Amino acid sequence: MSSKYVGRFAPTPSGPLHFGSIVAALGSYCDAKHHGGQWLLRFDDLDKQRTNAGHASHILRTLEKYGLHWDMEPVYQTRRTQLYREWIEKLQESGASYPCGCTRKEIKERAKEIVNGHRYDNFCRDKSQIKQPRSYRVRLPAPCVTTINDSAKGKISEDLAKTSGDFIIYYSKDLPAYHLASVVDDQEMNITHVVRGDDLLRSSIRQAHLQEILSLNTTKYLHLPLAMSESGRKLSKQNHAEPVKTINAGETLIRALHFMGQDVTNIKDVMKVEEIVASAIKNWSRKPIGSSTLGAICRTTTHSTQNQDQ
């Protein structure tokens, strides 16, 4: 097994896996195995109000039923809090981060409206003292153009200073923000490739910037089409997406492959899940993932293997 490719799947154990989760898991698994790599599993379980061990166990069982087997023991973020604390201390000591006392309401009132949210105006950046820090933010240069090279879409750039402003990397409640925890974990797990949904594209750019200022290894990215509901909403646990079933795992795997533009000509729903996954790995291609025709609505009916047209 090649050590040059190490991929991962990092679900939040806040509920059962849904179709969008299977797309992300299967896509990351196939890309890793097609390139002779490892596939690791991490639970992003820092938000204790949304997660519990029961959901994590359910996800593990579901992945096994779908023929997706991880190569090392799963990693749990809640067991790595000291590690995150050490990294935020390094950022504070270097001056790359600073405390922020702004509430969400205050930020919203001052913010300039942008796509996908509000831009923070760096209000606390030059304050000499913050009596009650609510969070810690990364200090961005201006401009701060960060570029990632998506394996299917090519180079994608964003000027973070204009689009988001200094973003949060740690909370005062001794809780790391998603971006910091993710890049630290990827470094510690020796992750080389991150394959995940299009909804995390902007997160990838922010994390690439953190990798740069922390002198961490740069991961390669591949963003998969985003599964949507009939109403046009992203499939997610928060949106109460229907959990996948294990009794028809083969059919769901075929739907997921079809959704990602993969060739399923030789795959039949009567095949065992291990056979379907093996065929998917063998014939895996990144090329169709870059197509703008993908990422459409995930319908509740099963796609026929006889109709390959997108």
Side-chain angles (χ1 to χ4, degrees):
M1 181 176 292
S2 172
S3 60
K4 293 183 179 180
Y5 186 122
V6 182
R8 49 80 160 172
F9 176 55
T12 299
S14 56
L17 297 180
H18 51 75
F19 181 76
S21 308
I22 293 299
V23 169
L26 181 61
S28 60
Y29 188 85
C30 287
D31 198 66
K33 296 304 179 180
H34 181 79
H35 293 95
Q38 293 179 299
W39 189 69
L40 308 186
L41 185 62
R42 182 180 79 226
F43 285 107
D44 290 358
D45 59 346
L46 287 172
D47 189 343
K48 295 180 181 180
Q49 292 183 340
R50 296 178 55 214
T51 64
N52 62 59
H55 291 318
S57 298
H58 188 276
I59 289 172
L60 292 174
R61 293 194 299 270
T62 302
L63 291 174
E64 289 180 329
K65 291 289 185 180
Y66 276 75
L68 305 177
H69 305 289
W70 48 99
D71 292 307
M72 297 178 66
E73 285 296 313
V75 170
Y76 296 81
Q77 287 187 325
T78 48
R79 302 174 187 176
R80 302 161 72 88
T81 52
Q82 178 59 35
L83 182 63
Y84 308 133
R85 193 176 299 120
E86 292 171 1
W87 279 100
I88 189 61
E89 289 174 356
K90 291 180 183 179
L91 285 167
Q92 289 178 266
E93 291 171 1
S94 68
S97 72
Y98 62 89
C100 174
C102 298
T103 66
R104 289 185 178 182
K105 182 179 179 181
E106 291 170 339
I107 295 171
K108 187 174 182 180
E109 289 175 350
R110 298 194 311 262
K112 299 176 181 178
E113 293 286 345
I114 62 166
V115 177
N116 296 327
H118 297 85
R119 177 189 178 278
Y120 179 62
D121 60 359
N122 302 346
F123 182 81
C124 292
R125 181 172 182 149
D126 297 319
K127 301 289 185 184
S128 58
Q129 287 185 334
I130 302 295
K131 293 183 179 179
Q132 292 182 321
R134 303 178 67 88
S135 63
Y136 293 85
R137 295 179 179 272
V138 64
R139 190 185 302 272
L140 299 179
C144 183
V145 178
T146 302
T147 302
I148 63 171
N149 191 4
D150 185 280
S151 299
K153 300 176 178 65
K155 291 184 177 180
I156 303 171
S157 300
E158 182 179 344
D159 186 344
L160 299 177
K162 289 184 177 180
T163 57
S164 69
D166 297 346
F167 55 88
I168 294 174
I169 52 176
Y170 211 85
Y171 294 97
S172 59
K173 298 178 180 179
D174 199 21
L175 179 69
Y178 169 69
H179 297 313
L180 179 65
S182 187
V183 298
V184 169
D185 285 334
D186 287 345
Q187 176 75 13
E188 293 296 318
M189 296 169 69
N190 297 312
I191 301 299
T192 60
H193 294 69
V194 173
V195 179
R196 55 188 180 187
D198 254 341
D199 57 320
L200 292 172
L201 176 58
R202 299 184 76 233
S203 293
S204 296
I205 295 174
R206 283 149 183 75
Q207 289 165 22
H209 177 73
L210 285 180
Q211 288 173 334
E212 180 180 349
I213 65 173
L214 290 170
S215 299
L216 304 180
N217 295 330
T218 302
T219 49
K220 297 180 180 179
Y221 292 95
L222 173 63
H223 294 89
L224 304 170
L226 185 62
M228 308 289 285
S229 68
E230 292 279 4
S231 61
R233 302 177 70 188
K234 166 193 166 185
L235 288 185
S236 70
K237 296 163 191 170
Q238 288 179 313
N239 291 337
H240 308 292
E242 182 180 353
V244 293
K245 299 177 181 179
T246 56
I247 57 172
N248 60 344
E251 293 181 4
T252 305
L253 286 171
I254 295 171
R255 287 176 57 208
L257 290 168
H258 187 280
F259 183 79
M260 291 185 284
Q262 301 300 302
D263 183 4
V264 294
T265 304
N266 297 320
I267 298 179
K268 310 299 179 185
D269 55 15
V270 294
M271 295 168 61
K272 296 180 179 179
V273 292
E274 289 79 8
E275 296 173 322
I276 294 174
V277 172
S279 179
I281 293 170
K282 180 180 179 180
N283 297 299
W284 176 254
S285 174
R286 295 171 175 172
K287 186 175 180 180
I289 294 172
S291 170
S292 60
T293 61
L294 296 179
I297 294 174
C298 163
R299 303 192 182 279
T300 55
T301 55
T302 303
H303 288 293
S304 169
T305 56
Q306 303 302 314
N307 183 5
Q308 305 300 319
D309 296 334
Q310 290 290 342

